[in-house]
């Protein structure tokens, strides 16, 4: 009888358990090491054999019943707990995902890529030189000796100390020193040293700052050296390049006599444009009604002294060179009006004028592609 009462009571506690913790406590109270049913089982040893058979059977029946109910109850409580957790952790997948900030290609990088691509079509290789340059490469070898007044035309950043060779060290004021470095490197590699056809894009530095000048800006230099290169090749190259770059067939150039120490003769090249809604749009003759000329680059036939400084025989080799302001070209093509904004790093400006890296809109269709 005592067994029945204990069994029922233990069963009632198990059934009443409403959390996994309460159920565990009920299990320990009944079947644990010091549980009540366990204690009953321990009394079997002191019983007579007949009693042991009958009592033992009943105790074991209660043990089996309690274990079964505990297991079933545990399954119910576990699944309830899991459902509660799932309900609390619900994700609302209908919420829009926060937009990931995306970088963009800077207009200068974009234009540099366009230029390199156009000139690659024309068979030009890309050459580079150091931005920290010595005055021999930056001036002397370009036919500007120490006393030459043209040195004063450049607002040069000089370093306080001279190089080991006793040369002044400067931040290069133009990409033209790459002409010298390329010729010298070519001569070193093969005794002929030419022909050669290169562009040299890169940063240059002058102490100057206003809406159209920044202390650092970008140029692209071109140099072609061969046996019989003349001004006609220069004009064709410039026209072909500017048509491809501006993606217009009506580009008209004007070559004006000028002076650069490193070219003879020298020409400055103007391009015709019209003003449309305050914006300069390249195309047409500058002499046409509503049009004007704008200077875009300096060029000329390479001075024979420069060819000699490059280690080549000026009686055998001749060629043309030109230098263009890349930032200026970018402003013209994409309509920015303040050069300083290019280098302010304002993300609003960059996201407005920058180009998507995955969807570059205006890479040249290639030289010779109809426009
Ligand atoms: N280096 C000149 C400058 O920065 C630009 C230039 C003019 C480059 C004529 C040339 C050239 O190669 O032939 O003002």
């Amino acid at each position: 009888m005592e067994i029945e009462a204990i069994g029922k009571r233990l069963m009632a506690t198990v059934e009443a358990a409403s959390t996994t913790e309460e159920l565990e406590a009920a299990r320990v109270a009944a079947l644990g090491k010091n549980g009540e049913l366990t204690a009953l089982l321990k009394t079997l040893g002191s019983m007579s054999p007949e009693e042991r058979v009958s009592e033992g059977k009943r105790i074991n029946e209660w043990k089996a019943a309690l274990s079964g109910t505990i297991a079933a109850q545990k399954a119910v409580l576990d699944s309830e707990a899991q459902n509660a957790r799932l309900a609390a952790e619900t994700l609302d997948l209908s919420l829009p995902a926060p937009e990931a900030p995306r970088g963009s290609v800077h207009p200068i990088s974009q234009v540099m890529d366009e230029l390199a691509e156009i000139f690659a079509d024309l068979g030009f290789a890309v050459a580079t030189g150091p931005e920290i340059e010595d005055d021999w490469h930056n001036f002397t070898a370009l036919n500007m000796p120490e006393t030459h007044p043209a040195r004063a035309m450049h607002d040069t950043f000089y370093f306080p100390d001279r190089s080991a060779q006793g040369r002044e060290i400067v931040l290069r004021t133009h990409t033209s020193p790459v002409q010298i470095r390329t010729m010298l490197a070519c001569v070193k590699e093969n005794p002929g040293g030419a022909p050669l056809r290169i562009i040299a894009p890169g940063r240059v530095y002058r102490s100057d700052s206003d809406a159209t000048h920044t202390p650092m800006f970008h140029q692209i230099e071109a140099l072609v050296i061969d046996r019989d290169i003349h001004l006609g090749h220069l004009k064709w190259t410039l026209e072909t390049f500017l048509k491809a770059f501006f993606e217009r067939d009506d580009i008209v150039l004007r070559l004006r006599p000028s002076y650069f120490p490193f070219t003879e003769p020298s020409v400055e090249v103007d391009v015709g444009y019209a003003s449309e809604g305050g914006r300069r749009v390249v195309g047409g003759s500058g002499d046409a009604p509503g049009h004007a000329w704008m200077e875009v680059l300096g060029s000329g036939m390479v001075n024979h002294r420069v060819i000699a400084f490059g280690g080549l025989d000026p009686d055998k080799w001749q060629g043309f060179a030109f230098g263009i302001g890349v930032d200026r070209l970018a402003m013209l093509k994409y309509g920015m009006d303040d050069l300083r904004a290019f280098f302010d790093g304002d993300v609003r400006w960059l996201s407005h004028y920058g180009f998507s890296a995955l969807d570059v809109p205006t890479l040249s269709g290639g030289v010779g592609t109809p426009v």
Side-chain angles (χ1 to χ4, degrees):
M1 194 59 231
E2 198 200 352
I3 293 173
E4 290 308 307
I6 292 175
K8 278 185 186 158
R9 185 163 40 74
L10 291 175
M11 185 59 92
T13 354
V14 165
E15 282 169 352
S18 63
T19 64
T20 48
E21 290 79 16
E22 281 175 23
L23 183 66
E24 177 62 7
R27 186 192 68 79
V28 171
L31 307 173
K33 217 159 62 181
N34 301 314
E36 281 192 71
L37 208 77
T38 313
L40 281 181
L41 280 167
K42 282 181 190 159
T43 62
L44 289 178
S46 59
M47 291 176 190
S48 68
E50 302 77 42
E51 254 183 337
R52 196 179 301 153
V53 170
S54 63
E55 300 295 282
K57 189 168 171 249
R58 281 163 61 207
I59 297 173
N60 274 313
E61 276 167 5
W62 273 111
K63 188 184 175 189
L66 282 166
S67 299
T69 308
I70 288 170
Q73 185 84 337
K74 187 168 182 328
V76 170
L77 290 175
D78 279 351
S79 97
E80 273 173 17
Q82 192 182 34
N83 286 342
R85 212 179 51 236
L86 287 178
E89 285 176 0
T90 297
L91 279 181
D92 184 352
L93 296 177
S94 67
L95 279 178
E99 203 174 317
R102 260 217 255 163
S104 58
V105 177
H106 193 284
I108 297 296
S109 310
Q110 165 71 17
V111 166
M112 290 281 211
D113 286 351
E114 292 176 22
L115 294 174
E117 194 172 312
I118 293 167
F119 281 110
D121 278 354
L122 295 173
F124 285 71
V126 173
T128 54
E131 289 170 32
I132 295 174
E133 193 45 289
D134 59 55
D135 71 333
W136 187 83
H137 287 92
N138 195 79
F139 295 121
T140 313
L142 289 161
N143 199 29
M144 286 182 271
E146 248 159 71
T147 52
H148 198 291
R151 284 201 187 208
M153 276 163 38
H154 298 282
D155 302 305
T156 311
F157 288 111
Y158 284 91
F159 280 72
D161 298 320
R162 287 172 170 265
S163 74
Q165 294 89 34
R167 294 177 180 168
E168 295 264 24
I169 302 297
V170 302
L171 287 178
R172 69 177 178 192
T173 57
H174 51 177
T175 43
S176 303
V178 185
Q179 292 188 26
I180 305 298
R181 290 188 174 273
T182 307
M183 286 189 279
L184 290 171
C186 283
V187 172
K188 219 173 173 186
E189 260 175 39
N190 71 80
L196 59 93
R197 209 186 300 179
I198 56 114
I199 55 163
R203 296 189 192 92
V204 300
Y205 302 84
R206 286 180 210 174
S207 179
D208 211 349
S209 182
D210 59 36
T212 51
H213 297 87
T214 49
M216 185 280 298
F217 56 105
H218 300 83
Q219 287 187 336
I220 195 161
E221 190 82 13
L223 174 69
V224 172
I225 301 282
D226 210 328
R227 304 250 177 212
D228 48 13
I229 294 292
H230 53 73
L231 273 180
H233 295 118
L234 169 65
K235 186 163 186 253
W236 180 87
T237 305
L238 290 175
E239 261 172 15
T240 307
F241 141 63
L242 288 168
K243 281 179 184 174
F245 179 72
F246 286 108
E247 298 171 66
R248 292 182 71 123
D249 240 357
D250 62 346
I251 301 290
V252 181
L253 298 184
R254 181 174 75 173
L255 271 59
R256 262 185 303 110
S258 182
Y259 172 75
F260 297 105
F262 27 90
T263 44
E264 181 58 38
S266 301
V267 286
E268 273 176 314
V269 179
D270 303 335
V271 62
Y273 72 94
S275 285
E276 286 174 17
R279 197 184 146 177
R280 292 175 169 190
V281 177
V282 171
S285 162
D287 295 328
H291 282 64
W293 294 107
M294 176 175 32
E295 187 208 319
V296 284
L297 57 93
S299 61
M301 298 302 295
V302 183
N303 189 301
H304 69 280
R305 290 175 61 86
V306 171
I307 292 182
F309 273 120
L312 294 171
D313 180 352
D315 291 329
K316 265 204 213 148
W317 302 103
Q318 61 187 39
F320 67 73
F322 56 86
I324 320 165
V326 172
D327 318 77
R328 191 105 172 273
L329 283 183
M331 290 168 83
L332 259 181
K333 183 167 176 181
Y334 295 113
M336 305 87 172
D337 54 8
D338 190 338
L339 179 61
R340 288 168 297 195
F342 276 77
F343 312 117
D344 278 349
D346 184 333
V347 287
R348 292 164 304 175
W349 187 92
L350 288 169
S351 63
H352 181 76
Y353 285 110
F355 295 86
S356 160
L358 301 174
D359 180 26
V360 177
T362 52
L363 264 191
S364 102
V367 171
T369 309
V371 282

